[in-house]
Amino acid sequence: MSESFHAPDASQPAPAPATTPGDGQSPHAPGVSVRHTRSKGEPRFPDGPKADPAGSHFERRIRSFQPRRSRVTAGQADALQRLWPKWGLDIDGQQVLDLAELFGNDHPVVLEIGFGMGEATAQMAAGDQSINILAVDVHTPGQGNLLNLADQNGLSNVRVGNGDAIILLREMLPPDSLDGLRVYFPDPWPKKRHHKRRLIQPEFLSLAATRLKPGAIVHCATDWEPYAEQMLEVLTAHPDFENTQDDGGFAPRPDYRPLTRFEGQGLDKGHVVNDLLFRRVER
């Protein structure tokens, strides 16, 4: 990731308030992980993302993601408390979103599924503020970090979704409402018995196609070569999408997708990263 982009260093977390969010008495030092003893049923972040926003409203199906439980720093917790009511979205499946209302403008909206700690998302949002990014993940520290980055860099074109992207697509987004879809470095589920958990499947693409405008770009990237080959095969076979590459293969990394620090380390080790750029065709 470019050093010119202002992002908090993991070794120097952002300043935090004098007390732990949700606890008006316990002081803590900036950057110290939040460990607040909650009573049973007390939410982790009263004004932040819900633990299970969709609850039991929808069927339990095979999930393409696995929630990661890790510590939230004081800076991330502060961002979740302060900014979630403003820029956060719990994916509960109970309403159809008005994206112009959500972002406060009618700019094109790109959905990003799985953003990790959010550094690349924030950099792409800063690189083109005429595009709104609806970024979805289930990783609480990453949600807090992306909110913190958006706040520190004045990025009003980012909204952070918490929950299952399938429910978002199926229940909460209107037809032809998205101008793009980005899926960068999804869990490859490398064991053969887990391949059914991979996100890029024909059923997922059929659902996504109903929410993408004609001409919208689906951009995937992975450093797991067998998954890249499967993505290419599935996207090529789907009638709603066409490859933007004349040779029908992988695409060069577009300039707008930043080379992250972790990706660079992988490339240094000889890993191969493949990008795929497919266009939603006219019906």
Side-chain angles (χ1 to χ4, degrees):
M1 186 170 158
S2 171
E3 296 295 333
S4 63
F5 184 75
H6 178 63
D9 191 328
S11 63
Q12 298 178 350
T19 58
T20 301
D23 182 352
Q25 299 178 350
S26 302
H28 61 70
V32 175
S33 297
V34 175
R35 294 183 63 84
H36 167 53
T37 301
R38 304 184 305 280
S39 59
K40 186 176 182 180
E42 181 184 354
R44 190 178 185 188
F45 302 101
D47 297 319
K50 293 182 175 64
D52 186 10
S56 59
H57 297 297
F58 301 96
E59 76 282 1
R60 293 297 176 184
R61 55 179 173 75
I62 296 173
R63 297 292 177 88
S64 62
F65 60 87
Q66 185 172 0
R68 292 168 291 160
R69 307 301 180 194
S70 55
R71 294 182 180 181
V72 177
T73 68
Q76 293 161 1
D78 174 59
L80 288 165
Q81 285 290 98
R82 289 188 301 107
L83 300 171
W84 191 260
K86 180 181 179 183
W87 288 337
L89 169 69
D90 278 310
I91 300 171
D92 58 11
Q94 300 301 300
Q95 60 176 320
V96 177
L97 297 174
D98 183 330
L99 293 178
E101 180 180 344
L102 180 67
F103 284 94
N105 58 59
D106 59 358
H107 295 171
V109 178
V110 171
L111 172 64
E112 182 178 359
I113 299 177
F115 56 79
M117 293 305 292
E119 293 97 337
T121 305
Q123 188 166 341
M124 288 186 290
D128 188 351
Q129 297 194 39
S130 69
I131 295 178
N132 295 324
I133 300 178
L134 176 53
V136 176
D137 209 307
V138 294
H139 187 45
T140 308
Q143 294 167 352
N145 200 57
L146 178 53
L147 288 170
N148 209 11
L149 288 168
D151 186 39
Q152 292 188 359
N153 292 281
L155 304 176
S156 61
N157 58 329
V158 176
R159 297 294 181 270
V160 180
N162 167 52
D164 190 339
I166 300 296
I167 293 176
L168 174 69
L169 283 164
R170 190 181 65 203
E171 309 291 342
M172 299 180 69
L173 291 177
D176 297 341
S177 57
L178 296 174
D179 294 86
L181 172 64
R182 297 169 180 171
V183 183
Y184 299 150
F185 305 99
D187 193 327
W189 294 102
K191 294 181 180 179
K192 187 173 182 179
R193 68 176 183 271
H194 291 156
H195 285 184
K196 60 188 175 183
R197 295 183 178 273
R198 289 176 172 176
L199 180 63
I200 305 302
Q201 306 275 7
E203 297 79 7
F204 169 77
L205 293 175
S206 294
L207 172 60
T210 66
R211 302 303 185 248
L212 289 163
K213 297 176 182 177
I217 296 296
V218 173
H219 183 189
C220 302
T222 180
D223 60 348
W224 191 260
E225 290 188 79
Y227 195 11
E229 294 290 347
Q230 178 189 325
M231 287 181 178
L232 182 60
E233 179 181 348
V234 171
L235 278 159
T236 299
H238 201 287
D240 288 327
F241 297 97
E242 64 181 6
N243 200 330
T244 62
Q245 304 303 298
D246 292 338
D247 64 0
F250 299 111
R253 177 177 61 87
D255 291 338
Y256 66 78
R257 184 176 77 76
L259 181 68
T260 66
R261 178 175 67 256
F262 301 105
E263 184 180 355
Q265 291 172 350
L267 292 171
D268 290 341
K269 296 176 182 177
H271 296 180
V272 175
V273 175
N274 286 299
D275 285 73
L276 302 95
L277 291 169
F278 276 72
R279 182 181 298 107
R280 171 73 168 90
V281 299
E282 294 276 357
R283 292 188 181 88

